Amino acid sequence: MEKKVSTDVSIPEDTSAGDVSPYRETQRGLSSRHVQLMAIGGSIGTGLFVGIGSYLRDAGPLSLFLGYLIWGCLFILPVNLCVGEMAAYLPIRGSIFELAARFIDPAFGFAMGWVYFYGGVMLVCTEYSAVSTIMQYWNTSVNPAVWVAMALVVCTMLNLVSVKWYGESEFVLASTKILLLIGLVLLTFITMVGGNPKHDVYGFRNWTEGVMFEYYTEGTTGRFLGFFSVMVYAAFSVAGPDLPALAAGEIQNPRVTIPRVAKMTFWRIVGFYVVGVLAVGIICSPRDPRLMSAITDGAAGSAASPWVIGIENLGIRGLPDLINFLILLSGWSCGNAYLYSSSRTLYSLARDGQAPKFLLKCTASGIPIYCVITVSVLSCITFLVASTSSVEVFFWFVDLTTIAFVLTYTGMVCVFIAWYRAMKAQGIDRKSFVPWAAPFQPYGAILAIVIGCLTAVFNGFSVFKPFSVQGFITSYFGLAFWVVMFVFWKVYHRSSFVKVAEADLYSGKAEIDEECKIWEEGGWAERRKEELAKMHWVKRVWEKMW
């Protein structure tokens, strides 16, 4: 049973930012099922299916496996746990960026919010460009800008409907990519023991050509850099801790749902990413001539996917088109999820007075319409694919997205450390104060900060020799943007760092407590048990999964 939030400490009058009532507000229409699939779906993009081929070639299968394992377990997992604890206590519509302003400095919250917004828009562009690349697998005569326009219109429309129906659309789209990944992993393990048309028991044969390749330089340093390059790519492709926090103001029963999603993180990382990259290194050789040729030539869609190449090498026909279609849905799903998260980030910035007030306007169904439209308009820069190779544009956006998300996730953990210190300084027992106390803290958070800072600084190591202006800009623009936004708000508003003993742990809590009464005190749990008892056992099992 989940603990209730302690009420032993008196709560000051709510001083949450902004009176948004004339503009309406977002609504709690996302169920646990929606949020869990959003977190999974938003974190599995096309990079795990297509872009991963170049890292398999350059770093080797063991480096690929270790890079994802270490990034997932030592960075993404702690970030998820930290964000989950804070968002469960205060599932506010202002999101974690408001908490950053409360616990660290308003300038920190401003910079983190805008860098995340920029990163989210870049990720939307990444997935739109991926969609255009994937569509070229079937038809290269159509200008890729047509496919970008198609993806943009569909995702925008899905984000303009009621949040409940957005959640349903993302549930369906995310389910397809989960089934795709599970299917590919099962196919790998079946075929490696001889379950293929050639009856070839190939096992780990593809690892005999080398497991950790030299990258950028020779020797041990080169092998380490190969591994580190995979970690940087994992920073792009392994995401998700941000989505529950940004959706916190629209989640039903948030103090139960958010911890449940956070606690699933480890299994999501291991089950999807770590096992997935292990499987891709098994089914396809990093030195496969077709893989190397496809990457060099910028082949479109699944033609450059090590999964497809490995499957075709085994004599299995008919699957590439299906896989390409499912990868297409994967890109669409991720673009859909981050159009949602970017628009909610902009909305939270407007609530805090850090973006124009007109962005607070919500429709009757609780959609911040101008925020959605703004993100959609900005994502039109993806039309660069009309004049440049869509594969090249895809990797531009990958670099731009990576640094933004590394900085934002690291910032989120910094907010947690400030939150942790504030509770300690104010004499509050954390474990009785919050609905759910994340494990491994504060040590997991400190480790994540160290890894995040090192990754942010060295993510573009390969652009210096020979020096690439384009590579330098795409690798480090987010870092410069963070500094500029922080200094701007610091100087213009003369903001001060918050003293931990004075950090505001309560604003918004009374309002959230009132909202959550329907679930926590209104007999919701008992009614839910009665509903489950009346269901057919199959449906009951399905409902209990979430």
Side-chain angles (χ1 to χ4, degrees):
M1 182 180 292
E2 298 290 338
K3 295 180 293 183
K4 290 186 179 180
V5 179
S6 171
T7 56
D8 295 340
V9 187
S10 61
I11 301 171
E13 184 180 352
D14 190 351
T15 57
S16 53
D19 177 12
V20 297
S21 56
Y23 299 90
R24 299 193 181 98
E25 287 190 336
T26 54
Q27 299 176 3
R28 295 193 182 276
L30 295 174
S31 68
S32 175
R33 174 170 59 88
H34 296 147
V35 178
Q36 292 196 48
L37 265 293
M38 280 173 60
I40 296 172
S43 62
I44 303 176
T46 52
L48 191 58
F49 303 112
V50 179
I52 201 169
S54 60
Y55 292 89
L56 175 63
R57 177 197 64 178
D58 294 339
L62 182 58
S63 292
L64 193 68
F65 174 76
L66 292 176
Y68 271 80
L69 178 66
I70 291 174
W71 182 259
C73 293
L74 300 187
F75 184 79
I76 293 295
L77 177 59
V79 175
N80 263 283
L81 296 176
C82 293
V83 171
E85 179 176 322
M86 292 186 291
Y89 171 69
L90 274 180
I92 54 177
R93 290 174 174 83
S95 189
I96 198 165
F97 311 118
E98 180 180 326
L99 300 184
R102 290 195 206 179
F103 305 151
I104 299 180
D105 187 318
F108 192 90
F110 176 76
M112 190 167 80
W114 278 103
V115 168
Y116 179 82
F117 172 72
Y118 138 74
V121 173
M122 290 300 100
L123 186 52
V124 172
C125 295
T126 303
E127 298 303 334
Y128 288 171
S129 65
V131 167
S132 70
T133 301
I134 293 163
M135 291 300 295
Q136 286 180 298
Y137 175 80
W138 289 300
N139 190 332
T140 57
S141 63
V142 177
N143 191 306
V146 173
W147 310 126
V148 171
M150 178 180 67
L152 190 153
V153 169
V154 171
C155 289
T156 301
M157 294 305 296
L158 289 174
N159 272 268
L160 288 175
V161 298
S162 164
V163 69
K164 177 182 177 181
W165 293 110
Y166 160 79
E168 292 295 346
S169 70
E170 187 57 24
F171 179 84
V172 173
L173 289 171
S175 296
T176 60
K177 71 173 78 175
I178 292 170
L179 292 174
L180 168 62
L181 189 53
I182 291 173
L184 290 173
V185 169
L186 289 176
L187 179 69
T188 299
F189 292 122
I190 291 170
T191 57
M192 72 183 291
V193 295
N196 58 75
K198 296 182 178 180
H199 304 292
D200 180 13
V201 184
Y202 60 90
F204 282 86
R205 182 192 305 153
N206 291 326
W207 287 46
T208 59
E209 299 178 43
V211 292
M212 296 187 78
F213 299 153
E214 297 172 347
Y215 178 71
Y216 194 66
T217 189
E218 298 178 351
T220 303
T221 302
R223 284 187 285 274
F224 171 77
L225 290 178
F227 154 77
F228 184 72
S229 70
V230 173
M231 273 189 59
V232 173
Y233 186 68
F236 160 73
S237 55
V238 184
D242 45 316
L243 290 171
L246 289 164
E250 298 175 75
I251 296 174
Q252 298 172 358
N253 199 8
R255 287 175 173 157
V256 172
T257 300
I258 293 174
R260 187 181 298 163
V261 173
K263 285 184 282 190
M264 283 185 60
T265 303
F266 175 77
W267 303 110
R268 191 166 73 231
I269 290 169
V270 173
F272 292 118
Y273 291 105
V274 177
V275 175
V277 296
L278 174 64
V280 79
I282 291 172
I283 199 169
C284 183
S285 167
R287 292 292 180 254
D288 186 286
R290 289 180 58 203
L291 176 67
M292 299 179 77
S293 175
I295 294 169
T296 302
D297 298 340
S302 63
S305 170
W307 296 101
V308 171
I309 291 170
I311 289 169
E312 290 183 336
N313 287 343
L314 293 169
I316 302 172
R317 305 301 174 198
L319 282 181
D321 284 319
L322 174 61
I323 292 173
N324 201 66
F325 173 71
L326 293 175
I327 293 173
L328 174 67
L329 293 182
S330 174
W332 232 317
S333 169
C334 205
N336 191 40
Y338 277 92
L339 176 53
Y340 171 88
S341 71
S342 300
S343 63
R344 284 355 182 235
T345 299
L346 196 56
Y347 177 75
S348 70
L349 288 168
R351 281 182 60 93
D352 294 340
Q354 297 175 339
K357 196 172 182 180
F358 78 90
L359 294 168
L360 291 171
K361 174 70 175 179
C362 290
T363 64
S365 56
I367 303 300
I369 183 168
Y370 294 140
C371 294
V372 173
I373 292 172
T374 299
V375 175
S376 294
V377 170
L378 290 174
S379 65
C380 287
I381 61 174
T382 318
F383 286 110
L384 283 168
V385 298
S387 57
T388 309
S389 163
S390 54
V391 175
E392 184 178 357
V393 172
F394 172 79
F395 281 106
W396 289 351
F397 287 131
V398 166
D399 291 343
L400 289 165
T401 302
T402 300
I403 182 62
F405 276 75
V406 170
L407 290 171
T408 305
Y409 292 164
T410 305
M412 288 178 176
V413 184
C414 290
V415 175
F416 177 84
I417 291 293
W419 144 276
Y420 184 93
R421 292 180 64 228
M423 284 188 286
K424 197 169 183 179
Q426 295 177 28
I428 296 171
D429 178 27
R430 167 174 163 259
K431 292 189 177 179
S432 63
F433 182 68
V434 298
W436 176 69
F440 315 123
Q441 305 306 335
Y443 309 106
I446 294 169
L447 178 61
I449 290 173
V450 172
I451 293 174
C453 290
L454 290 174
T455 305
V457 172
F458 295 108
N459 86 95
F461 71 90
S462 61
V463 306
F464 291 98
K465 187 179 178 181
F467 185 74
S468 166
V469 175
Q470 175 189 299
F472 182 80
I473 292 172
T474 56
S475 296
Y476 291 104
F477 175 80
L479 188 58
F481 187 53
W482 178 292
V483 172
V484 168
M485 299 304 277
F486 180 83
V487 172
F488 164 74
W489 197 262
K490 192 82 175 166
V491 172
Y492 186 75
H493 288 274
R494 299 181 182 276
S495 64
S496 302
F497 284 101
V498 178
K499 296 178 181 178
V500 290
E502 300 173 3
D504 178 8
L505 299 173
Y506 303 105
S507 290
K509 182 179 182 299
E511 176 188 341
I512 298 299
D513 288 345
E514 189 64 30
E515 278 191 271
C516 290
K517 278 184 179 179
I518 186 175
W519 298 291
E520 295 175 358
E521 299 177 8
W524 178 84
E526 289 72 18
R527 291 196 303 273
R528 182 62 176 161
K529 286 180 182 178
E530 292 175 4
E531 290 174 3
L532 289 171
K534 295 176 182 178
M535 292 179 184
H536 187 276
W537 71 269
V538 175
K539 187 176 182 181
R540 185 163 57 248
V541 170
W542 169 260
E543 291 291 332
K544 285 185 175 181
M545 285 174 59
W546 316 104

